[in-house]
Amino acid sequence: MIVRMGLMKDIIVGVMRVSSKYGEGFTNLWEKMTEFHTTLVATGELQLKRQRQQKVWMWNMIQESVTEYLCNHPAVRNQIPNLEEKVVRGDITPGLAADILLRTFSKKKKSVNSVNTD
């Protein structure tokens, strides 16, 4: 098996037999895992992987929060069941349904933000 690495060249990884039933192979497996980890740290690959993960996690959290905020908006929430049904029936495209919900959200946000509080 070949493991594709970013900074490092490809690493050829062997297959190891391990048996939990007979308690065999765990010492060798742990040694190989530790060796692999040491290589990742030494080459900077582990840090790169973690940085990429952090970026992905950041955007996942943003997407979840924005989706939750959007879906909990009263005007949007009221339209979701009807639009979902239309999408499932093929009456409208998913893109059109998304546009309608986003426009609804934007209109309500603008009217709330434009209220004069003086």
Side-chain angles (χ1 to χ4, degrees):
M1 177 187 320
I2 297 177
V3 178
R4 303 274 179 215
M5 305 305 290
L7 292 176
M8 301 170 39
K9 293 182 179 182
D10 296 342
I11 297 176
I12 297 175
V13 182
V15 176
M16 300 180 71
R17 183 179 296 216
V18 178
S19 171
S20 60
K21 182 176 181 178
Y22 299 107
E24 296 173 350
F26 289 102
T27 302
N28 290 340
L29 175 64
W30 186 252
E31 287 172 5
K32 289 293 182 185
M33 290 171 58
T34 302
E35 181 183 313
F36 184 69
H37 182 265
T38 300
T39 302
L40 289 178
V41 171
T43 61
E45 186 68 27
L46 184 65
Q47 182 179 359
L48 264 178
K49 285 180 172 292
R50 292 295 177 253
Q51 289 171 341
R52 280 184 245 136
Q53 285 175 336
Q54 295 289 346
K55 185 177 174 182
V56 168
W57 290 337
M58 177 189 80
W59 283 107
N60 285 345
M61 293 174 78
I62 290 169
Q63 288 173 340
E64 289 174 18
S65 293
V66 169
T67 300
E68 183 179 345
Y69 189 64
L70 175 80
C71 290
N72 285 324
H73 188 281
V76 172
R77 185 177 55 233
N78 291 338
Q79 288 188 10
I80 290 173
N82 182 40
L83 290 172
E84 285 179 340
E85 186 178 320
K86 287 181 178 183
V87 168
V88 170
R89 283 194 320 250
D91 295 343
I92 62 173
T93 65
L96 177 57
D99 287 344
I100 292 168
L101 293 173
L102 291 169
R103 266 189 265 122
T104 299
F105 180 76
S106 295
K107 287 178 187 175
K108 292 295 181 180
K109 288 298 289 178
K110 286 178 185 174
S111 65
V112 169
N113 291 335
S114 65
V115 174
N116 189 352
T117 56
D118 292 337

